[in-house]
Amino acid sequence: MKRVVVCMAVAVFLLLNWRALVFSETDKSVEDVMKEEGLITEQEYNAAKKHRIYLHEEQPLQAQLAEPLKAHTWELGTEVSHITYKEPGVMEEKGMMYGIVGSYTYHDNFMLKADGRFSYGQVDYTGSGTMDNIGDYILEFRGVGGYDFSVFTASTLTPYIGIGYRYLNDDFAGTTSTGASGYEREQSYFYSPIGIETSTELKNGWSIGAILEYDIFWSGKNKSHFSDASPTYNDLEFNQDKGYGYRGSIKFQKKGEKLDFVIEPFIRYWNIKQSDQDLLRINGIPYAYYVEPNNNSTEIGCKLAVKF
């Protein structure tokens, strides 16, 4: 996973610097060098400079700045992803998720953004036997604020920080292939996203951008409905206070007359440490203490959206 973070950081650097790397403003022309060496006169230098043929239209580079961002932007779309949830040495679930996403963003040098998503799918379980087609859904809401910086040419860099909430419902009630009883699980995370977003304008209405984000995990709660396995069991609640997450994406955007179109491949990752203990009772009689073990989830997918 560290390799993914490094690759995303390199991608952000290249997105911000590609014009400067390709069209360096410090490069000297042939006539500049010849004038410095005394090989041509001032008159010959001016004539050569006047008739110089540029290989690209962006000269001079310092005249190009990023276009001001729209003050109000709405985004609506859909996403498809593959999620893998693991409790190492205990169990694994994986499958496809299908969702809808939406956001509102305000720009006026500073940036404010609220976004949300809902996704649903079916995952397959492997652990104490197997079980297929388990219904899962995820709800997530976030609010962030940041500041827009114009950097280099035609690029904008926006660092941001905020607060987020993520809810996962895993309807694992039923019986596995070995006869083990499953139960519904609910997970809730409160966290703070802190990251950077970049955008660089290209030709013909296209732009490319990237998001690199680290998620500070504040607290989590896991509710395991053991009563689904047996009515003699009580439900357990586990508190989680250690973990982290990160996410990244590459965004391709095409400007239209009324709508802009977005294609955005992404990755989202969570790593949550072992919870505290809760006591299982059978018919009200204390039986044993349980914990929610170390777990991680990786979601890789692509978003398709329109902006207006």
Side-chain angles (χ1 to χ4, degrees), residues 55-297:
L55 297 180
H56 51 88
E57 299 175 357
E58 287 79 9
Q59 292 281 0
L61 283 175
Q62 57 269 26
Q64 276 209 338
L65 296 175
E67 280 188 19
L69 298 172
K70 292 181 180 178
H72 305 278
T73 303
W74 295 88
E75 181 175 303
L76 293 173
T78 184
E79 65 179 32
V80 179
S81 63
H82 183 274
I83 190 168
T84 301
Y85 173 86
K86 294 181 180 180
E87 294 176 1
V90 180
M91 58 86 84
E92 177 180 286
E93 289 183 343
K94 56 185 178 181
M96 298 298 297
M97 304 290 288
Y98 308 90
I100 55 174
V101 295
S103 69
Y104 166 75
T105 307
Y106 175 77
H107 287 280
D108 186 12
N109 290 327
F110 62 89
M111 178 275 289
L112 296 174
K113 181 178 181 179
D115 65 84
R117 71 180 180 109
F118 170 80
S119 58
Y120 174 83
Q122 293 183 325
V123 297
D124 297 334
Y125 166 88
T126 303
S128 299
T130 61
M131 185 188 296
D132 294 339
N133 302 321
I134 301 166
D136 272 20
Y137 69 87
I138 298 173
L139 279 170
E140 189 165 19
F141 302 100
R142 296 152 49 95
V144 300
Y147 196 86
D148 299 319
F149 294 93
S150 292
V151 291
F152 301 103
T153 55
S155 296
T156 301
L157 172 68
T158 307
Y160 63 85
I161 190 170
I163 190 72
Y165 171 77
R166 177 182 183 269
Y167 172 83
L168 166 69
N169 185 287
D170 178 50
D171 192 11
F172 182 41
T175 305
T176 71
S177 60
T178 59
S181 297
Y183 50 88
E184 179 186 4
R185 296 183 309 118
E186 299 178 82
Q187 292 180 339
S188 299
Y189 298 164
F190 288 96
Y191 66 96
S192 283
I194 178 170
I196 55 173
E197 180 172 359
T198 72
S199 178
T200 298
E201 296 171 16
L202 306 176
K203 293 182 179 181
N204 300 320
W206 282 96
S207 66
I208 186 171
I211 296 175
L212 180 64
E213 177 183 300
Y214 180 81
D215 295 318
I216 302 171
F217 182 79
W218 295 117
S219 66
K221 185 178 291 291
N222 181 293
K223 185 172 183 179
S224 296
H225 294 259
F226 274 35
S227 57
D228 289 341
S230 171
T232 62
Y233 296 167
N234 62 301
D235 295 337
L236 302 184
E237 289 192 5
F238 305 105
N239 296 312
Q240 300 163 304
D241 59 8
K242 293 181 181 179
Y244 64 91
Y246 62 75
R247 63 187 65 192
S249 66
I250 302 293
K251 180 185 293 187
F252 304 92
Q253 182 170 315
K254 180 69 167 86
K255 186 178 295 185
E257 292 185 6
K258 295 183 179 180
L259 298 175
D260 296 345
F261 301 90
V262 176
I263 302 173
E264 187 174 0
F266 62 82
I267 180 172
R268 303 175 185 132
Y269 176 79
W270 284 103
N271 189 305
I272 309 299
K273 304 306 179 184
Q274 181 175 295
S275 71
D276 64 359
Q277 298 178 342
D278 197 10
L279 178 63
L280 175 66
R281 292 179 172 85
I282 301 179
N283 288 321
I285 300 173
Y287 174 71
Y289 282 97
Y290 283 76
V291 299
E292 179 69 10
N294 295 329
N295 62 82
N296 62 77
S297 63

Side-chain angles (χ1 to χ4, degrees), residues 32-48:
D32 288 333
V33 176
M34 293 181 69
K35 180 183 177 184
E36 290 179 0
E37 297 295 327
L39 298 177
I40 58 175
T41 65
E42 183 73 23
Q43 184 177 3
E44 291 171 330
Y45 170 77
N46 291 332

